[in-house]
């Protein structure tokens, strides 16, 4: 174990919380600060696009109320000085550290600010975003347009449709095909349509149209404009790394770390969660950044343990990524990284029955799995991916 006296965790969501809790569990007894830009204590994001939109406010994360750390909420880290080992906050505070956990996650991509400023235009990342969206949905009279048919966009469309609203998804490609492969992606598109969602695929949004400060439409590439009473921009996220610029931490679509989650070239800084990009032993040399709950949960804990152990005692992080979603009542899950595959095949069930599993291989070795209404198969295939089994 190392001999740390002052550890700072920046980012107080899932990965940061797990890091802080694990540091104490592993016996770290020194000063611990948890810095979070949001005013709320750590909470759970997955319900934001699901139960919260339906009226349930429970976003609790176990352990969040009993963190044994200095809670610095509503404050942002604005600068890291890696040589002096200090983190500067936006209120002028300088926090010295001998161990640092970077867990600043990601934020939604935005349209140009004059379009975001139109009433009726929303993103969904934080609890405040979700409560605002829920309030706006209660007054919606016309069509809701969801830009981007990814996990969050699909879930929002599903909730909004269940509430009886007219919904369109506009996607620059075909929803989820890159992530889930063509078979599941095609099935999902049909599933959206069968549930009354208008799906506009392979179409970019050229801009929003507004009247008197309120959004009225979404202008598509080509000449068409979709009337819209409310727009949800769900076109992916960008990692929160601006505060690290010039710090000496290697940034490239996130904080690039080694396989043990140490920021490349540093022995006193680790990163975890949506912001971290690391080389995963199962998936080749190209570092990966995973935007999933279970990854942030496990990685926060693993990064904390590795920080305490120091580079010589630290172990590589190799959890197989996995994520699940519910769209119009159907459970869709995936594991591994299907997009790395050079071949895929339906291994159990059949798309026409609405219950099936697809395995993805690269040079014959399993690298991913996607299932519709088949959790058992996902568990089996996830283990097979972990064992790098051949198909
Ligand atoms: C609506 C929604 C639904 C989701 N549903 C699922 C799901 O069903 N399944 C699943 O696997 N995943 C889901 N996810 C993804 C999952 O929630 C994320 O992977 C997880 O929250 C990542 O945790 P994190 O701690 O790495 O980062 P984040 O949760 O992004 O938290 C980072 C925190 O750091 C703070 N921060 C940023 N910059 C600074 C700074 N400079 N100083 C201080 N604080 C800073 C941010 O304000 C934020 O609170 C969903 C995400 C969203 C938004």
């Amino acid at each position: 174990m190392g001999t740390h006296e002052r550890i700072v965790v920046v980012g107080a969501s899932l990965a940061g919380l797990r890091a802080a809790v694990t540091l104490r569990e592993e016996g770290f007894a020194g000063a611990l600060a948890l810095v979070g830009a949001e005013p709320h204590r750590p909470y759970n994001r997955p319900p934001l696009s699901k139960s919260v939109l339906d009226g349930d406010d429970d976003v609790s994360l176990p352990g969040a109320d009993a963190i044994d750390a200095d809670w610095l909420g509503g404050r942002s880290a604005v600068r890291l000085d890696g040589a002096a080992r200090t983190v500067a906050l936006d209120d002028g505070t300088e926090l010295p550290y001998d161990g640092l956990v970077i867990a600043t996650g990601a934020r939604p991509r935005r349209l140009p600010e004059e379009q975001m400023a139109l009433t009726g235009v929303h993103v969904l990342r934080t609890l405040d975003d979700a409560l605002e969206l829920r309030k706006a949905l209660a007054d919606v009279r016309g069509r809701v347009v969801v830009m981007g048919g990814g996990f969050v966009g699909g879930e929002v469309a599903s909730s909004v449709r269940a509430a009886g609203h007219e919904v369109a998804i506009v996607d620059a490609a075909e929803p989820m095909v890159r992530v889930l492969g063509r078979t599941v992606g095609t099935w999902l598109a049909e599933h959206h349509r069968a549930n009354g969602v208008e799906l506009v695929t392979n179409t970019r949004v050229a801009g929003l149209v507004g009247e008197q400060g309120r959004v009225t439409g979404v202008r598509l590439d080509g000449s068409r404009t979709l009337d819209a009473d409310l727009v949800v921009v769900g076109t992916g996220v960008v990692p929160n790394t601006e505060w690290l610029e010039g710090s000496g931490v290697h940034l490239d679509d996130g904080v690039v770390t080694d396989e043990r989650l140490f920021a490349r070239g540093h022995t006193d800084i680790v990163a975890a969660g949506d912001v971290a990009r690391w080389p995963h032993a199962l998936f080749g040399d190209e570092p990966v950044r995973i935007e999933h709950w279970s990854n942030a949960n496990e990685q926060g804990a693993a990064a904390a343990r590795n920080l305490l152990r120091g580079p010589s005692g630290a172990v590589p992080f190799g959890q197989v990524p996995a994520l699940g979603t519910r769209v119009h009542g159907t459970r869709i899950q995936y594991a591994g990284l299907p997009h790395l595959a050079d071949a895929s095949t339906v291994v159990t069930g059949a798309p026409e029955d609405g219950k099936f599993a697809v395995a993805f291989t690269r040079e014959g070795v399993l690298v991913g799995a996607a299932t519709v209404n088949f959790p058992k198969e996902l568990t089996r295939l996830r283990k097979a991916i972990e064992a790098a089994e051949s198909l």
Side-chain angles (χ1 to χ4, degrees):
M1 284 281 174
T3 52
H4 298 90
E5 291 178 2
R6 311 185 65 85
I7 297 183
V8 173
V9 178
V10 183
S13 180
L14 182 57
L17 171 67
R18 285 292 170 261
V21 168
T22 304
L23 287 167
R24 290 304 191 206
E25 282 172 358
E26 295 284 315
F28 171 65
L32 179 58
L34 180 58
V35 184
E38 293 180 67
H40 312 288
R41 292 212 162 224
Y43 60 87
N44 209 16
R45 292 192 203 281
L48 301 181
S49 50
K50 307 172 182 75
S51 45
V52 171
L53 293 186
D54 299 337
D56 179 347
D57 283 345
D58 183 7
V59 289
S60 54
L61 261 181
D65 288 335
I67 316 165
D68 180 13
D70 294 331
W71 163 243
L72 301 173
R75 272 168 280 184
S76 293
V78 289
R79 200 172 49 259
L80 167 68
D81 185 333
R85 291 176 150 190
T86 54
V87 174
L89 306 189
D90 57 358
D91 64 358
T93 309
E94 294 264 339
L95 296 175
Y97 68 83
D98 53 20
L100 174 67
V101 181
I102 299 173
T104 43
R107 63 179 185 279
R109 280 204 190 94
R110 294 171 72 85
L111 298 171
E113 285 309 317
E114 72 275 9
Q115 300 191 20
M116 295 304 307
L118 291 169
T119 303
V121 180
H122 295 258
V123 290
L124 181 50
R125 182 78 191 177
T126 66
L127 178 57
D128 296 346
D129 292 340
L131 296 178
E132 253 179 52
L133 176 59
R134 185 170 83 188
K135 195 160 166 254
L137 283 168
D139 294 330
V140 100
R141 295 286 168 264
R143 182 194 274 129
V144 174
V145 176
V146 179
M147 284 177 58
F151 278 110
V152 171
E155 287 176 358
V156 170
S158 172
S159 291
V160 170
R161 188 70 200 120
H165 299 296
E166 196 184 334
V167 187
I169 295 177
V170 181
D171 198 291
E174 288 169 77
M176 307 299 296
V177 164
R178 183 176 175 275
V179 180
L180 298 173
R182 181 145 304 278
T183 308
V184 178
T186 303
W187 187 91
L188 177 62
E190 274 317 305
H191 187 54
H192 274 308
R193 289 189 173 111
N195 282 279
V197 174
E198 185 183 350
L199 208 55
V200 184
T201 58
N202 297 307
T203 304
R204 291 191 172 277
V205 168
L208 302 183
V209 184
E211 268 171 35
Q212 293 172 349
R214 185 174 176 95
V215 72
T216 56
V218 174
R219 199 154 38 79
L220 306 178
D221 250 0
S223 53
R224 193 174 163 204
T225 296
L226 277 180
D227 289 344
D229 200 24
L230 189 144
V231 174
V232 180
V233 182
T235 48
V237 296
V238 287
N240 291 316
T241 55
E242 287 73 7
W243 67 283
L244 295 164
E245 274 160 20
S247 67
V249 167
H250 186 74
L251 303 176
D252 180 7
D253 182 34
V255 173
V256 184
T257 73
D258 65 16
E259 68 280 11
R260 299 157 307 168
L261 308 173
F262 282 97
R264 222 185 244 176
H266 295 262
T267 56
D268 52 357
I269 303 176
V270 290
D274 283 17
V275 77
R277 195 161 163 240
W278 86 109
H280 191 302
L282 285 174
F283 303 119
D285 297 334
E286 184 65 18
V288 293
R289 197 169 61 73
I290 305 291
E291 299 162 3
H292 302 167
W293 193 96
S294 62
N295 185 69
N297 193 49
E298 301 296 323
Q299 213 171 39
R305 281 192 292 270
N306 281 348
L307 180 66
L308 292 180
R309 285 174 186 155
S312 57
V315 293
F317 182 75
Q319 193 203 48
V320 172
L323 183 138
T325 183
R326 249 181 212 285
V327 181
H328 313 295
T330 293
R331 191 151 181 205
I332 300 169
Q333 294 168 284
Y334 84 94
L337 295 177
H339 74 270
L340 296 180
D342 53 35
S344 69
T345 178
V346 176
V347 285
T348 326
E352 54 276 24
D353 298 334
K355 181 173 180 175
F356 63 104
V358 180
F360 297 82
T361 52
R362 184 167 63 175
E363 294 173 9
V365 176
L366 264 176
V367 289
T371 60
V372 172
N373 277 330
F374 228 144
K376 245 175 150 173
E377 269 298 278
L378 202 272
T379 306
R380 181 183 76 80
L381 288 164
R382 189 179 178 183
K383 285 186 187 142
I385 297 165
E386 211 166 287
E389 282 181 17
S390 302
L391 198 67

